[in-house]
Amino acid sequence: MESSQIEFTRYINKVKETRAKITPQRMEILNIFLNNKNEHFTAEDIIKRLNTKTGQATVYRTLELFCQASILKKVNFKNEEFLRYDLLDLKNKHFHHHLVCNKCGKVMEINDDFLDHIEFKVLQDYDFITLNHELILNGICKDCQKDTENEK
Ligand SMILES: [Zn+2]
Ligand SMILES: [Zn+2]
Ligand SMILES: [Zn+2]
């Protein structure tokens, strides 16, 4: 495991590449994402978690900046009216996959790509180079499977 300091620097450097200034608020927002890697926060969630008083516009601007810097990605798994933000894993070539439970709405992440075979086939059969992909699998999570069994 790399130290959290090295990891933090790696993400901050991506933001610096956009020539944006690194402010204390921006660092705090980045840390919220780094400390909660499996969450998919809304802007509202971030505002609630911030210790320093930060205006709503600043938070939205920062999230937009992080998307431009390719450290966050906008996601929407359940046709919600608001956006959620997902931290990209800078060490992975492609975006991670998501499992979404139809019953409780829980979202889980899969970090194994699993698609190498498909990517290779697509290159062979369609002469198409896969740069990225978004995969959502809808279904029933482990906990909800148990609940269904108890109902029987
Ligand atoms: Zn995710
Ligand atoms: Zn892939
Ligand atoms: Zn569930």
Side-chain angles (χ1 to χ4, degrees), residues 3 8 36 117 146 151:
S3 86
F8 179 80
N36 300 278
H117 181 70
K146 273 188 219 138
E151 281 162 20

Side-chain angles (χ1 to χ4, degrees), residues 100-106 108 139-145 147:
V100 180
C101 178
N102 287 346
K103 279 197 121 182
C104 67
K106 185 160 55 198
M108 281 166 290
I140 313 286
C141 78
K142 198 175 169 186
D143 292 337
C144 291
Q145 290 172 38
D147 292 349

Side-chain angles (χ1 to χ4, degrees), residues 57-84:
T58 308
V59 173
Y60 277 97
R61 257 202 313 273
T62 301
L63 294 172
E64 196 51 48
L65 167 71
F66 285 179
C67 289
Q68 278 164 24
S70 301
I71 63 168
L72 286 186
K73 189 178 184 321
K74 291 170 186 155
V75 287
N76 192 344
F77 307 121
K78 293 170 261 179
N79 292 318
E80 292 169 324
E81 284 146 36
F82 39 85
L83 286 171
R84 291 182 178 277

Side-chain angles (χ1 to χ4, degrees), residues 8 12 23-36 41-43 45-47 49-52 54-66 71-72 85 87:
F8 179 80
I12 279 294
T23 63
Q25 285 105 324
R26 285 177 176 167
M27 291 198 277
E28 194 183 354
I29 293 174
L30 174 58
N31 268 321
I32 294 173
F33 281 98
L34 284 169
N35 294 331
N36 300 278
F41 289 129
T42 63
D45 296 332
I46 296 298
I47 290 165
R49 278 166 185 262
L50 283 166
N51 291 319
T52 22
T54 308
Q56 200 171 315
T58 308
V59 173
Y60 277 97
R61 257 202 313 273
T62 301
L63 294 172
E64 196 51 48
L65 167 71
F66 285 179
I71 63 168
L72 286 186
Y85 296 86
L87 185 73

Side-chain angles (χ1 to χ4, degrees), residues 93-94 113 115-116 119 130 133:
K93 183 168 64 128
H94 292 156
D113 192 316
L115 297 185
D116 292 347
E119 291 165 17
T130 303
H133 41 63

